[in-house]
Amino acid sequence: MKITSARIYLIESGGIRPVILELTTDEGIVGLGEACIAYGIGGTASAGMLKDIIERYMMGGIDPFRIEALWTEIYDHGFWAKGGGPIVYAAMSAIEQAMLDLKARSLNIPVYELLGGRVHDSLRTYCNGWYFGCTQDSQLPHAATKAVTDGYDALKFYPFVSILPEGRLRHPSFRAASDRSVVKRAVRTVSEIRRAVGPDVEIMLDLSAGLTTDDTIRFCREVEDLDITYVEEPAVPGDVGALVKIAQNISQRIAVGERVYSRYGFRDILESRAVDILQPDIGNTGGLLEARKIAAMAEAYSMKVQPHICASALSTAVGMHFSASIPNFYIQEHFPYWARIPGHVDVLENPIEASVKGGVIPVSDAAGFGVQLRRTALDNSIFGEYALS
């Protein structure tokens, strides 16, 4: 079996730009992968990097079973992967995922069987995106209560953001170095959310490296009595010294990983012992096998792992296979209210979002990732098509 064609989709989806790769073999089997640079900037760059890698390393009929061999070839000879950032690793992630999907579908098994087999039959999720539609802080407690009513007992929020008139979020500028109101406002907002949802709902706070180290510590101390499950990205990714300082001065657990790439990027974080939860993004850290290696490294340090999910519904399905296969799985990120945004759930014929009940994902046993593209939703999103044989 050989890979004979590739198609890249660059999708416009309500402010994010998912990038999906479709590989097809000479036996007509289709495999899917996603380069998860959907949020922020870089979607076009990751689609372009996919094009470059495909044209250089995948011509002539690649065997989809030789996943590690191709990944290592790109890593060793693509130059930018060594010490590289999100663009190169996102492209490598999409290719690796699609090849795993091809391999699993050809064997008629779920992808998690290629990762060591299923450890978990169902996956608890936390709700992100529950604040969509709010245009002012005063609406947040009600929105949080609605998510709890919908069955979620864990919510993530961004305490330092400003809500723009159209409802989108804007993180602080200049790390809020001269704005004393940011911390006060964040403490007040989180306090009101906690009061609204009660003591039994978990609250996770994504700080997105938004403040200076001293203000981050001050904020975390001021919300100590609100029983915060963890704070995410309290320091600029890669600044291990800041992570250590923050860890020594706050009581909350720390989670990091969405902007850390490959097992090599996680090594110093693990050795610092400053972090409690790792959050590799399967679509930008190098792929599923790479994320599985990161999870194994975390297991050796007695740490929890949860995948960062923030792209199309395909990334949710990919995350399910990863989470189901790791012993140290903690909780999976989930956006239950993104169905209303074109280009997210509707890119698939059978998104697993529809199966989530009471905040729990039942692990599917369908072959591959268990999902297929809805081509009618993607006709206007084709970035490039390539014959590889």
Side-chain angles (χ1 to χ4, degrees):
M1 182 169 61
K2 303 294 182 183
I3 300 173
T4 55
S5 67
R7 179 180 289 173
I8 301 168
Y9 298 93
L10 178 59
I11 304 159
E12 298 293 339
S13 177
I16 67 171
R17 305 186 79 195
V19 176
I20 291 177
L21 172 67
E22 178 185 67
L23 297 179
T24 304
T25 72
D26 53 0
E27 297 180 7
I29 301 172
V30 174
L32 304 176
E34 183 158 9
C36 293
I37 309 295
Y39 47 100
I41 59 174
T44 304
S46 60
M49 181 63 78
L50 267 171
K51 173 182 180 292
D52 288 353
I53 291 176
I54 287 167
E55 291 180 339
R56 178 170 294 195
Y57 294 101
M58 300 186 70
M59 292 297 179
I62 295 292
D63 180 353
F65 277 39
R66 299 192 65 188
I67 301 168
E68 285 277 10
L70 180 61
W71 197 99
T72 304
E73 177 72 11
I74 299 168
Y75 179 82
D76 284 341
H77 301 289
F79 191 82
W80 296 110
K82 292 183 177 179
I87 303 305
V88 64
Y89 279 116
M92 293 170 68
S93 298
I95 291 168
E96 186 251 35
Q97 290 173 33
M99 291 177 71
L100 274 170
D101 196 21
L102 285 173
K103 187 172 184 176
R105 288 179 189 275
S106 71
L107 298 172
N108 197 33
I109 59 174
V111 165
Y112 57 69
E113 297 291 5
L114 302 177
L115 305 175
R118 186 165 67 186
V119 177
H120 309 285
D121 296 328
S122 61
L123 307 170
R124 182 171 172 246
T125 71
Y126 68 81
C127 178
N128 202 343
W130 54 268
Y131 40 80
F132 288 178
C134 295
T135 56
Q136 52 190 346
D137 291 350
S138 61
Q139 296 171 338
L140 292 168
H142 175 73
T145 302
K146 180 184 183 304
V148 174
T149 302
D150 289 344
Y152 292 91
D153 60 4
L155 310 176
K156 187 164 83 173
F157 183 60
Y158 304 80
F160 305 141
V161 301
S162 299
I163 302 176
L164 301 177
E166 65 272 23
R168 294 180 62 191
L169 307 180
R170 180 177 173 83
H171 294 278
S173 299
F174 311 115
R175 308 196 68 190
S178 61
D179 188 349
R180 297 178 60 226
S181 69
V182 171
V183 169
K184 290 182 178 180
R185 174 174 159 267
V187 171
R188 181 176 65 251
T189 300
V190 176
S191 298
E192 290 172 353
I193 292 171
R194 169 56 77 197
R195 189 178 304 113
V197 300
D200 298 327
V201 174
E202 291 194 63
I203 297 177
M204 295 87 160
L205 298 179
D206 190 340
L207 310 189
S208 297
L211 305 185
T212 58
T213 301
D214 60 319
D215 281 338
T216 298
I217 292 170
R218 181 161 66 93
F219 167 76
C220 291
R221 287 178 172 176
E222 291 194 28
V223 297
E224 278 187 344
D225 62 342
L226 299 179
D227 190 23
I228 302 305
T229 299
Y230 62 74
V231 293
E232 180 176 335
E233 280 205 316
V236 172
D239 190 346
V240 176
L243 275 179
V244 170
K245 181 177 179 179
I246 292 168
Q248 291 172 342
N249 285 279
I250 69 173
S251 62
Q252 295 92 349
R253 293 180 292 178
I254 293 175
V256 301
E258 71 184 81
R259 289 186 276 189
V260 181
Y261 314 107
S262 83
R263 76 201 93 147
Y264 306 106
F266 280 89
R267 181 176 55 200
D268 290 346
I269 293 172
L270 286 163
E271 292 181 355
S272 75
R273 298 281 187 172
V275 171
D276 305 288
I277 302 161
L278 292 191
Q279 299 172 294
D281 190 310
I282 303 160
N284 69 25
T285 201
L288 262 169
L289 295 174
E290 192 69 8
R292 186 66 184 81
K293 293 170 186 176
I294 292 164
M297 292 166 66
E299 192 176 358
Y301 283 81
S302 298
M303 291 173 59
K304 299 179 177 70
V305 174
Q306 60 186 52
H308 176 260
I309 307 289
C310 187
S312 80
L314 176 57
S315 68
T316 312
V318 173
M320 176 191 71
H321 286 265
F322 169 74
S323 298
S325 71
I326 60 172
N328 48 343
F329 166 73
Y330 180 38
I331 193 169
Q332 178 155 323
E333 186 166 19
H334 182 52
F335 287 82
Y337 306 115
W338 260 2
R340 66 184 185 178
I341 301 174
H344 181 67
V345 173
D346 59 322
V347 301
L348 300 180
E349 292 286 357
N350 50 343
I352 68 169
E353 276 78 357
S355 71
V356 180
K357 305 296 181 186
V360 174
I361 298 173
V363 176
S364 167
D365 61 0
F369 291 132
V371 296
Q372 290 80 38
L373 291 182
R374 177 176 289 142
R375 298 183 186 282
T376 55
L378 297 171
D379 287 343
N380 298 321
S381 300
I382 298 173
F383 178 86
E385 298 182 85
Y386 311 93
L388 308 182
S389 56

